[in-house]
Amino acid sequence: MAIFKQKMLWIGILIVIVVLAVFGLAMMGSVLGTKPQHVPVALVVLDQPVDLSTGDKLAVGEMLKEQLTSNKQLPISWKIVGSEEEARKGLDSRDYYGALVLPADLSAGVASLMGPSPTPATVSIISNDGMNTQAATVVKQGLGQVMKMVSLEMSKSALEQMSQRTDQISVDAATALLTPIQVTEETVHPIGTNNASGNAPGLLTQIMWMGSLVSAMILFLASGSAKKASGRKWSAHLLQPIIGIVLVGAASGFLVWMASGWYGMELTSAVDTWLFLWLGGSAFYLMQSMLLNWIGFPAMAILVLLMFFSMPILNMPQEFLSDTTQNLLYSWTPLRFVAGGLREIMYFGGLKAVSTNAAVLWSIASGCLALLLAAGVKKGKAAAEQSAAV
């Protein structure tokens, strides 16, 4: 058939394959096969050893500490801290995804199981949902399963010792033996309602990127038309960043209002969220405009690919990503600094909680603004030289 002799058909098939390969790499290559590893969790051992009637010493806290830290199957990097207060400070400063607190009466509670008044001990699992819900859930479930196994082992051991001494076990003792170690769970920095299971910062970042990209393209075209119409190339170029930043500010405000008013997203500080989103959107806009002014329309391909490569990792914990993805993409993509800053603002206390993410965005915005203005100077000189030559 004649259609199979057309070069355009085979070129089109090749283009489709290349597009699928590139976007498949962008959307799947960085996240498929990811697994949690070295997730930082605080371990607080407050347990005080007790003396047994046999003359031995029972130190359940130290025993659990040794078991947990030597367990290579847990994807956890334990950080030993001296107090619960220190652990909570670490949770507030986003150092840990969770914490396990072994209380001072842990050994005493286990030892009481063999006595007339059993009092099961209670350990606390604290999950830091605001840092990343997915990682916090992994920590909570993993620690919960480990503590159940430890509790079952201690229940069997205590039951064997008691059966050697008596054939009858009281109701209180039997009840205590069912759960010799009780687990309480606590969530700090909750994500709120309608926050896409904690993925709202990533979603807002993606939408803001697209809004900034459309703004950059519109003003790039408008600036080019204005330069041709008026002949005032520098003034038209200078207005490009000014109008763009104002437009992005309005767009980011509309986005926050839409998320809250239309979809019921819970925002503890809508104003702080808007201000930081404005900063992030401005950094996006200036970078996009700079590339458009220096490269032209081919810059759109770079910017679109950057978005697609960045999207899958915005809501992934860094500890879940491979070393290759962390080094080649996560470490520098500008989208993750906006998503990270929004997470700090939305779940950790507003603008006062923003760390280095804001400084990075200010640096990106300043550098891209300088390069954007330099593009206008270069084009102005080129136009002047061309006119002089004529």
Side-chain angles (χ1 to χ4, degrees), residues 357-386:
N357 291 305
V360 171
L361 292 174
W362 277 112
S363 300
I364 292 174
S366 301
C368 291
L369 175 60
L371 290 172
L372 174 59
L373 296 177
V377 173
K378 180 182 178 182
K379 290 181 179 180
K381 289 183 177 179
E385 292 174 358
Q386 185 176 4

Side-chain angles (χ1 to χ4, degrees), residues 55-89:
D56 297 326
K57 190 177 288 290
L58 180 64
V60 178
E62 284 300 318
M63 180 190 70
L64 285 177
K65 175 183 175 182
E66 183 178 350
Q67 289 183 354
L68 292 170
T69 54
S70 62
N71 189 339
K72 302 303 181 182
Q73 295 181 344
L74 286 175
I76 290 176
S77 175
W78 292 104
K79 310 297 180 182
I80 311 299
V81 297
S83 65
E84 183 175 345
E85 180 183 2
E86 184 180 350
R88 290 185 179 276
K89 287 182 179 179

Side-chain angles (χ1 to χ4, degrees), residues 39-337:
V39 179
V41 176
L43 177 60
V44 184
V45 183
L46 305 175
D47 180 48
Q48 299 296 320
V50 297
D51 296 321
L52 301 177
S53 57
T54 58
D56 297 326
K57 190 177 288 290
L58 180 64
V60 178
E62 284 300 318
M63 180 190 70
L64 285 177
K65 175 183 175 182
E66 183 178 350
Q67 289 183 354
L68 292 170
T69 54
S70 62
N71 189 339
K72 302 303 181 182
Q73 295 181 344
L74 286 175
I76 290 176
S77 175
W78 292 104
K79 310 297 180 182
I80 311 299
V81 297
S83 65
E84 183 175 345
E85 180 183 2
E86 184 180 350
R88 290 185 179 276
K89 287 182 179 179
L91 294 170
D92 293 340
S93 59
R94 300 167 296 285
D95 295 329
Y96 315 123
Y97 289 97
L100 176 63
V101 181
L102 306 180
D105 61 351
L106 179 58
S107 292
V110 173
S112 71
L113 296 176
M114 277 74 78
S117 302
T119 55
T122 300
V123 302
S124 300
I125 297 176
I126 307 173
S127 60
N128 195 0
D129 281 17
M131 192 169 175
N132 187 278
T133 307
Q134 185 178 0
T137 300
V138 168
V139 169
K140 184 164 51 178
Q141 292 178 347
L143 295 183
Q145 291 176 356
V146 169
M147 295 314 302
K148 285 181 180 179
M149 293 176 60
V150 170
S151 181
L152 180 60
E153 291 177 2
M154 291 189 173
S155 177
K156 290 180 179 179
S157 177
L159 185 59
E160 289 175 358
Q161 295 182 36
M162 293 182 68
S163 64
Q164 293 174 1
R165 291 160 34 191
T166 179
D167 293 334
Q168 295 183 344
I169 301 177
S170 66
V171 175
D172 291 340
T175 303
L177 284 172
L178 291 176
T179 53
I181 298 180
Q182 297 180 351
V183 178
T184 62
E185 295 183 354
E186 179 187 353
T187 298
V188 295
H189 303 291
I191 58 175
T193 58
N194 296 329
N195 265 248
S197 299
N199 294 328
L203 293 177
L204 293 175
T205 299
Q206 294 171 32
I207 298 171
M208 195 69 250
W209 173 270
M210 289 302 301
S212 300
L213 183 57
V214 172
S215 301
M217 176 56 69
I218 291 173
L219 288 173
F220 172 68
L221 295 174
S223 177
S225 299
K227 291 174 184 177
K228 293 179 180 178
S230 65
R232 299 178 180 179
K233 299 184 181 299
W234 176 246
S235 60
H237 188 81
L238 185 61
L239 286 174
Q240 193 175 346
I242 297 174
I243 297 175
I245 291 175
V246 174
L247 180 59
V248 167
S252 58
F254 174 78
L255 178 56
V256 171
W257 173 77
M258 179 177 65
S260 177
W262 291 12
Y263 303 110
M265 183 181 292
E266 184 178 347
L267 299 172
T268 55
S269 179
V271 174
D272 289 356
T273 303
W274 165 57
L275 291 174
F276 187 84
L277 198 58
W278 188 357
L279 170 62
S282 298
F284 288 164
Y285 169 80
L286 291 171
M287 180 179 66
Q288 293 158 351
S289 296
M290 179 269 295
L291 289 174
L292 285 169
N293 278 270
W294 278 98
I295 303 176
F297 288 108
M300 288 295 295
I302 299 174
L303 296 170
V304 170
L305 283 176
L306 176 59
M307 181 191 69
F308 277 102
F309 271 91
S310 302
M311 281 172 54
I313 67 171
L314 289 182
N315 293 313
M316 292 286 291
Q318 182 179 353
E319 291 77 10
F320 283 40
L321 302 173
S322 66
D323 292 339
T324 301
T325 301
Q326 290 188 43
N327 295 330
L328 297 183
L329 181 60
Y330 183 84
S331 61
W332 62 268
T333 177
L335 283 81
R336 74 103 165 173
F337 296 106

